[in-house]
Amino acid sequence: MIDGKKVLFSGMQATGNLTLGNYLGALKNWVNLCDDYECFYSVVDLHSITVRQDPSELRSRARKLLSLYIAAGLDPKKNCIYYQSHVSGHAELAWILNCFTYMGELNRMTQFKDKSSKHADNINAGLFTYPVLMAADILLYQTDVVPVGKDQLQHLELTRDIAERFNGVYGDVFTIPEPYLGKAGAKIMSLQEPEKKMSKSDENVNASIYLMDDPDTIMRKFKRAVTDSEASVQYNDTQKGIHNLIDIYCACKDVQPEDVVKEFDGKGYGDFKTAVGEAVVGVLKPLQDEYNRIIKEKDFLDSIIKENAEKAQYYSTKTLRKVQRKVGFPDRIR
Ligand code: TRP
């Protein structure tokens, strides 16, 4: 608890371009969470170097992501948006938690198996202990809830196991975090293979709408979106492509699928796709304008980066000192 509010933590990597799926499924829905939770959103650059990065590229992407979060409506005075590498406690707690995590547990992590097969030439120890760093991120702020996608649930489960193990030895040190089960955002699927989630790492650029796509690109990608031969805008499980387009339209326009089916009754897919494209442009254009404005506000961004790092440092140090004391490190002399 911070000031009577539960704590919410999420981390995101500044690698890859965020998609419409990331926005409608997550980001957009986070904007109001700060009314009910004390929110921390970390740009997790320590995690990023588990695979090789170009240094200047990583630095610039991190700043872009941070700006994008602000452009999307996360008020940086109410949400702690900060760089993980600016807060030393993440790495320090991760070391300690490494000593409370078993090799066998890490060996079972599916993301490690995936990533090590993708980067077979660089299976470094960081990639292996990545979930422990993630546990440290979460536990460092006495987090109550973590909004995560399905792919990260296994890591959250491990975080809980590590926290319970530690508490079992030393008493109630860590809050046990839960997955955040708020109002679910829209689940947006690939425009080319609508049975697959829209992903920032999809090799087919036509499968995803990137948040920075210009209007022409957006319209073109929707024109090419895979549909079916029913030629009727209906909301059901067999017309997966149309289902996805309806979901996107609903999320952009704040309407219900029934309304969309009525609105496009008797109209062809061409008209519908154009309408969906325009709805998406209507949402992304203001976001892009705001982003382009913020990214140029150097002093503003720098002050946010500094203030929020200090805030994160303050709360994380509280937990870290407690943990260091519990495991038996000598007190600091003041
Ligand atoms: N591992 C997460 C991902 O790849 C990012 C992440 C790092 C994270 N630390 C976190 C997510 C803490 C939630 C909480 O998407």
Coordinates of all heavy atoms in Angstrom, one line a residue, residues 248-282:
I248 N -12.0 -4.3 -33.4 CA -11.2 -3.1 -33.5 C -12.1 -1.9 -33.6 O -11.9 -0.9 -32.9 CB -10.2 -3.2 -34.8 CG1 -9.2 -4.3 -34.6 CG2 -9.5 -1.9 -35.0 CD1 -8.4 -4.6 -35.8
Y249 N -13.1 -2.0 -34.5 CA -14.0 -0.8 -34.7 C -14.7 -0.5 -33.3 O -14.8 0.7 -33.0 CB -15.1 -1.3 -35.7 CG -15.9 -0.1 -36.2 CD1 -15.5 0.8 -37.1 CD2 -17.2 0.0 -35.8 CE1 -16.3 1.8 -37.6 CE2 -18.1 1.0 -36.2 CZ -17.6 1.9 -37.2 OH -18.4 2.9 -37.6
C250 N -15.1 -1.5 -32.6 CA -15.8 -1.3 -31.3 C -14.9 -0.6 -30.3 O -15.3 0.4 -29.6 CB -16.3 -2.6 -30.7 SG -17.7 -3.3 -31.5
A251 N -13.6 -1.0 -30.3 CA -12.7 -0.5 -29.3 C -12.4 1.0 -29.7 O -12.2 1.8 -28.8 CB -11.4 -1.3 -29.2
C252 N -12.3 1.3 -30.9 CA -12.0 2.7 -31.4 C -13.2 3.6 -31.2 O -13.0 4.8 -30.9 CB -11.6 2.7 -32.8 SG -10.0 1.9 -33.1
K253 N -14.4 3.1 -31.4 CA -15.6 4.0 -31.4 C -16.4 3.9 -30.2 O -17.4 4.5 -30.0 CB -16.5 3.5 -32.6 CG -15.9 3.8 -34.0 CD -16.4 5.1 -34.5 CE -16.1 5.4 -35.9 NZ -16.6 6.7 -36.3
D254 N -16.0 3.0 -29.3 CA -16.8 2.7 -28.0 C -18.2 2.3 -28.3 O -19.2 2.9 -27.8 CB -16.8 4.0 -27.1 CG -15.8 3.8 -26.0 OD1 -15.6 2.6 -25.6 OD2 -15.2 4.8 -25.6
V255 N -18.4 1.4 -29.2 CA -19.7 0.9 -29.5 C -19.7 -0.7 -29.3 O -18.7 -1.2 -29.0 CB -20.1 1.2 -31.0 CG1 -20.3 2.7 -31.2 CG2 -19.1 0.7 -32.0
Q256 N -20.9 -1.3 -29.5 CA -21.0 -2.7 -29.3 C -21.1 -3.4 -30.6 O -21.6 -2.8 -31.6 CB -22.3 -3.0 -28.5 CG -22.3 -2.4 -27.1 CD -21.1 -2.8 -26.2 OE1 -20.8 -4.0 -26.2 NE2 -20.5 -1.9 -25.6
P257 N -20.7 -4.7 -30.6 CA -20.8 -5.5 -31.9 C -22.1 -5.4 -32.6 O -22.2 -5.3 -33.8 CB -20.4 -6.9 -31.5 CG -19.5 -6.7 -30.3 CD -20.0 -5.5 -29.6
E258 N -23.2 -5.5 -31.8 CA -24.6 -5.5 -32.4 C -24.8 -4.2 -33.2 O -25.4 -4.3 -34.3 CB -25.7 -5.5 -31.3 CG -25.7 -6.5 -30.2 CD -24.8 -6.1 -29.1 OE1 -25.2 -5.3 -28.2 OE2 -23.6 -6.5 -29.1
D259 N -24.3 -3.1 -32.7 CA -24.4 -1.8 -33.4 C -23.7 -1.9 -34.7 O -24.2 -1.3 -35.7 CB -23.9 -0.7 -32.5 CG -24.4 -0.6 -31.1 OD1 -25.5 -1.1 -30.9 OD2 -23.6 -0.2 -30.2
V260 N -22.6 -2.5 -34.7 CA -21.8 -2.5 -35.9 C -22.4 -3.4 -37.0 O -22.5 -3.0 -38.2 CB -20.3 -3.1 -35.6 CG1 -19.4 -2.9 -36.9 CG2 -19.7 -2.3 -34.4
V261 N -22.9 -4.5 -36.5 CA -23.6 -5.4 -37.5 C -24.8 -4.7 -38.1 O -25.0 -4.8 -39.3 CB -24.1 -6.7 -36.7 CG1 -25.0 -7.5 -37.6 CG2 -22.9 -7.5 -36.3
K262 N -25.6 -3.9 -37.3 CA -26.7 -3.2 -37.8 C -26.2 -2.1 -38.8 O -26.8 -1.9 -39.9 CB -27.4 -2.5 -36.6 CG -28.8 -3.1 -36.4 CD -29.6 -2.3 -35.4 CE -30.0 -3.1 -34.2 NZ -29.9 -2.4 -32.9
E263 N -25.2 -1.4 -38.3 CA -24.7 -0.2 -39.2 C -24.3 -0.7 -40.6 O -24.5 0.0 -41.5 CB -23.5 0.5 -38.4 CG -23.0 1.7 -39.1 CD -21.9 2.4 -38.3 OE1 -21.6 2.0 -37.2 OE2 -21.2 3.2 -39.0
F264 N -23.7 -1.9 -40.6 CA -23.2 -2.4 -41.9 C -24.0 -3.4 -42.6 O -23.5 -4.1 -43.5 CB -21.7 -2.8 -41.7 CG -20.8 -1.6 -41.4 CD1 -20.5 -1.3 -40.1 CD2 -20.3 -0.8 -42.5 CE1 -19.8 -0.2 -39.8 CE2 -19.5 0.3 -42.2 CZ -19.3 0.6 -40.9
D265 N -25.2 -3.5 -42.1 CA -26.2 -4.5 -42.7 C -26.3 -4.2 -44.2 O -26.6 -3.0 -44.6 CB -27.5 -4.4 -42.0 CG -28.5 -5.4 -42.5 OD1 -28.1 -6.5 -42.9 OD2 -29.7 -5.1 -42.6
G266 N -26.1 -5.1 -45.1 CA -26.3 -4.9 -46.5 C -25.1 -4.2 -47.2 O -25.1 -4.1 -48.4
K267 N -24.1 -3.9 -46.4 CA -22.9 -3.2 -47.0 C -21.8 -4.3 -47.3 O -21.8 -5.3 -46.6 CB -22.4 -2.1 -46.1 CG -23.4 -1.0 -45.9 CD -22.7 0.4 -45.8 CE -23.7 1.5 -45.7 NZ -24.1 1.9 -44.3
G268 N -20.9 -4.0 -48.2 CA -19.9 -4.9 -48.5 C -18.7 -4.8 -47.6 O -18.6 -3.8 -46.8
Y269 N -17.7 -5.7 -47.7 CA -16.5 -5.7 -46.9 C -15.7 -4.5 -47.2 O -15.0 -3.9 -46.3 CB -15.7 -7.0 -47.1 CG -16.3 -8.2 -46.4 CD1 -15.8 -9.5 -46.7 CD2 -17.3 -8.1 -45.5 CE1 -16.3 -10.6 -46.1 CE2 -17.9 -9.2 -44.9 CZ -17.4 -10.4 -45.2 OH -17.9 -11.6 -44.6
G270 N -15.7 -4.0 -48.5 CA -14.9 -2.9 -48.9 C -15.2 -1.6 -48.0 O -14.4 -1.0 -47.4
D271 N -16.6 -1.4 -47.9 CA -17.0 -0.2 -47.2 C -16.7 -0.4 -45.7 O -16.2 0.5 -45.0 CB -18.5 -0.1 -47.2 CG -19.0 0.4 -48.6 OD1 -18.1 0.8 -49.4 OD2 -20.2 0.3 -48.9
F272 N -16.8 -1.6 -45.2 CA -16.6 -1.9 -43.8 C -15.1 -1.7 -43.4 O -14.7 -1.0 -42.5 CB -17.1 -3.3 -43.4 CG -16.8 -3.6 -41.9 CD1 -17.3 -2.7 -40.9 CD2 -16.2 -4.8 -41.5 CE1 -17.0 -3.0 -39.6 CE2 -16.0 -5.0 -40.2 CZ -16.4 -4.1 -39.2
K273 N -14.3 -2.2 -44.3 CA -12.8 -2.1 -44.1 C -12.4 -0.6 -44.1 O -11.6 -0.2 -43.3 CB -12.0 -2.8 -45.1 CG -12.0 -4.3 -44.9 CD -11.3 -5.0 -46.1 CE -11.0 -6.4 -45.9 NZ -10.3 -7.0 -47.0
T274 N -13.0 0.2 -45.0 CA -12.7 1.6 -45.0 C -13.1 2.3 -43.7 O -12.3 3.1 -43.1 CB -13.4 2.3 -46.2 OG1 -13.0 1.6 -47.4 CG2 -13.0 3.7 -46.3
A275 N -14.3 1.9 -43.2 CA -14.7 2.5 -42.0 C -13.8 2.1 -40.8 O -13.5 3.0 -40.0 CB -16.2 2.1 -41.7
V276 N -13.4 0.9 -40.8 CA -12.5 0.4 -39.7 C -11.2 1.2 -39.8 O -10.7 1.7 -38.8 CB -12.3 -1.1 -39.7 CG1 -11.3 -1.5 -38.6 CG2 -13.6 -1.9 -39.6
G277 N -10.6 1.3 -41.0 CA -9.4 2.0 -41.2 C -9.5 3.5 -40.7 O -8.7 4.0 -40.0
E278 N -10.6 4.1 -41.1 CA -10.8 5.5 -40.6 C -11.0 5.6 -39.1 O -10.5 6.6 -38.5 CB -12.1 6.1 -41.4 CG -11.8 6.5 -42.8 CD -13.0 6.8 -43.7 OE1 -14.1 6.7 -43.1 OE2 -12.8 7.1 -44.8
A279 N -11.7 4.7 -38.5 CA -11.8 4.7 -37.1 C -10.4 4.6 -36.4 O -10.2 5.3 -35.4 CB -12.7 3.5 -36.6
V280 N -9.6 3.7 -36.9 CA -8.3 3.6 -36.4 C -7.4 4.8 -36.5 O -6.7 5.3 -35.6 CB -7.5 2.3 -36.9 CG1 -6.1 2.3 -36.5 CG2 -8.3 1.0 -36.5
V281 N -7.5 5.4 -37.8 CA -6.8 6.7 -38.0 C -7.3 7.7 -37.0 O -6.5 8.5 -36.4 CB -7.0 7.1 -39.5 CG1 -6.4 8.6 -39.6 CG2 -6.3 6.2 -40.4
G282 N -8.6 7.7 -36.8 CA -9.2 8.7 -35.8 C -8.6 8.6 -34.4 O -8.6 9.5 -33.7

